[in-house]
Amino acid sequence: MSSHRIAVIGGDGIGPEVVEAGVKVLEALAATEPDLAFEFERFDWGSDYYRRNGRMMPQDGLAQIEGVDAIYFGSVGDPDLPDDITLWGLRLAICQGFDQYANVRPTRLLPGLTGPLRPELGQQIDWVIVRENSEGEYAGVGGRAHRGLPIEVGMDVAVFTRAGIERIAQFACELAISRPRKLLTVVTKSNAQRHGMVFWDEVVREVVRDYPGLTVDWMLVDAMTQRMVNKPGSIDTVLATNLHADILSDLAAALGGSLGIGSTANINPSRSRPPMFEPIHGSAFDITGKGVANPLGAFWTASLMLDHLGEQAAARRLMAAIETVTDRGEYLSPDLGGSARTAEVTAAVIAALSGVNSTSSSRLAG
Ligand code: ATP
C-alpha cells in the first residue's frame, strides 16, 4: 500500500471550495483502489492568515511542507490586498522556494463540451504548454525610484540564464518526445526583444539539437495567439517564457471551454523538492461562497498529481470519470452553461468513478 502525503493549501476565494471537493474525489478513489492511500495535511495559509498574522504563511512554511509528496493548491488573491503580497507571499514563495521551474498546463476540449471555436476546430485542441516558471519576465528583479517625483521610475528586468533556459528546454523536449506527435513549438519574441529573447532562441536551438526525433517549429508570441485560434490542430507541445506562457495558457483555457477546467503542475523535475498542483483559475471572488464554483479544474489537477505520483491507473480512472460527467452534460456548473452546484458536480464525478476503470480513458491527465 503506497500512502501519499499531500499538503492541502486551499488559499483564497473559491480555492478552498474546489480543493476540498478534490480531496473528496481522491478519498472516493482511494476507497475503491486497494493499493492507493493518501494522508492529507491541511494548511490554512492565504489572505485570511495574513490578516491574522501579517504574513501569507509562517516563516518556516516551506520547511513544514518540504517532506510531503505533493502540494494540492487552490488559489491565491484577495480584492483587499495587493497581489505582490498575496502572490509573492504564498504561491510564488513556494514555486521559487522549491525551484519548481517547470509549469505544465495540458489543454483539450473534454467530451461533450463546446468551446468558443467551431466544433471541428475545437476538437483539434490537444496541447501541453510548458512554461518557464523560475525566471524570465517574472524573476522579480527590478525596482522603483524617485517616488512621487516627476522622474519616478519603475522597472522589471527580464532575466534569462543559460542554466534556466537549458533546463526548461530539456524538460519540454522530453515531454514533447514522449507524446505521439513528437512536435514542439517554441514561442519567442526575438524580433522585438534583442537580448534576452535572442539568447533564449540560441540556447533552445542548442538543446533541441540533442533530440533528432523531434519536429520543432518557432513562433512569435503574437502570431502564436492566431495559430491557436485558427489552426489548433497544428500544435502539440509548446515551450514559452514565464510571461508568454502565462498569457497563452489563459487563452488555451478559454478555448478549452472554461477557466474553471484548466489545471497546472509546478514541477521540480529533479524531484528533490515537492511539486505543486493547482487549477489555473484565480480566487474568483464574484462567486466565492455561493457553492457554484466549477471543481473540474481541481479534479483534472488531482489527476495530474496522481500521474506524477506514479499512480497512472488511478489518474486515468479519475480522468475517465471527469469525461463521463462532461459527456453526459447533466451536471455541469454555470460557467459551462449548466446549473449544477459544486457539490453536485463532485457527487456526479464520484458516482462516475464506479462505472469506469483505468482503461475507460486512454488518456493520462496530460
Ligand atoms: P487571478 O488574477 O487570480 O487569475 P482573476 O479574477 O483574473 O484572478 P479568476 O479569479 O480566475 O480570474 O476569475 C475570472 C472569471 O472566471 C471570474 O468571473 C470567475 O467567476 C470565473 N471563474 C474562474 N474560475 C472559475 C471556476 N472554477 N468556476 C466558475 N467560474 C470560474
Side-chain angles (χ1 to χ4, degrees), residues 14 17 283-294:
I14 61 169
E17 301 172 30
S283 307
F285 272 94
D286 51 335
I287 55 166
T288 298
K290 296 186 175 155
V292 294
N294 185 350

Side-chain angles (χ1 to χ4, degrees), residues 115-262:
L117 295 183
R118 292 197 304 277
E120 67 274 22
L121 287 180
Q123 278 150 17
Q124 293 174 14
I125 297 174
D126 187 356
W127 307 328
V128 184
I129 298 180
V130 176
R131 168 179 172 185
E132 201 297 314
N133 211 28
S134 67
E135 54 175 34
E137 307 86 344
Y138 297 171
V141 174
R144 295 273 301 266
H146 309 306
R147 283 180 192 253
L149 298 177
I151 55 164
E152 186 167 3
V153 58
M155 280 184 301
D156 276 291
V157 180
V159 175
F160 293 96
T161 65
R162 176 172 288 278
I165 303 168
E166 269 175 7
R167 65 185 189 172
I168 196 66
Q170 278 159 359
F171 179 86
C173 287
E174 296 288 342
L175 181 65
I177 214 147
S178 74
R179 289 170 54 90
R181 294 178 65 192
K182 304 187 190 315
L183 169 63
L184 178 70
T185 301
V186 184
V187 175
T188 182
K189 191 60 191 168
S190 49
N191 61 336
Q193 293 181 294
R194 301 186 306 168
H195 307 292
M197 284 279 76
V198 172
F199 185 45
W200 164 268
D201 290 1
E202 282 170 16
V203 178
V204 174
R205 207 166 270 126
E206 284 170 25
V207 172
V208 300
R209 259 189 233 127
D210 293 337
Y211 296 85
L214 200 59
T215 305
V216 181
D217 64 49
W218 296 76
M219 289 300 293
L220 296 174
V221 64
D222 40 350
M224 185 66 180
T225 58
Q226 298 196 32
R227 181 164 159 193
M228 288 166 73
V229 172
N230 295 327
K231 291 187 178 172
S234 71
I235 300 166
D236 186 78
T237 307
V238 178
L239 168 63
T241 68
N242 216 331
L243 169 69
H244 293 165
D246 188 13
I247 297 166
L248 294 179
S249 51
D250 260 33
L251 173 59
L255 297 177
S258 164
L259 205 52
I261 297 175

Side-chain angles (χ1 to χ4, degrees), residues 21-87:
V23 168
K24 281 201 181 90
V25 167
L26 286 169
E27 279 170 343
L29 194 58
T32 56
E33 298 259 345
D35 292 326
L36 185 65
F38 301 101
E39 285 166 55
F40 295 106
E41 295 170 47
R42 263 92 172 175
F43 296 86
D44 65 346
W45 303 342
S47 297
D48 284 342
Y49 185 94
Y50 178 88
R51 279 186 264 274
R52 293 192 305 271
N53 302 288
R55 348 177 17 106
M56 293 294 288
M57 65 173 172
Q59 195 142 19
D60 67 344
L62 292 185
Q64 289 188 33
I65 54 175
E66 200 167 15
V68 300
D69 297 312
I71 303 157
Y72 190 36
F73 191 87
S75 61
V76 69
D78 187 287
D80 300 326
L81 294 173
D83 281 348
D84 67 321
I85 287 183
T86 56
L87 199 59

Side-chain angles (χ1 to χ4, degrees), residues 16 37 103 113 146 183 193 205 212 222 269 304 323 344 350:
N103 177 284
L113 298 187
H146 309 306
L183 169 63
Q193 293 181 294
R205 207 166 270 126
D222 40 350
L304 278 181
E323 289 174 2
E344 292 169 317
I350 290 173

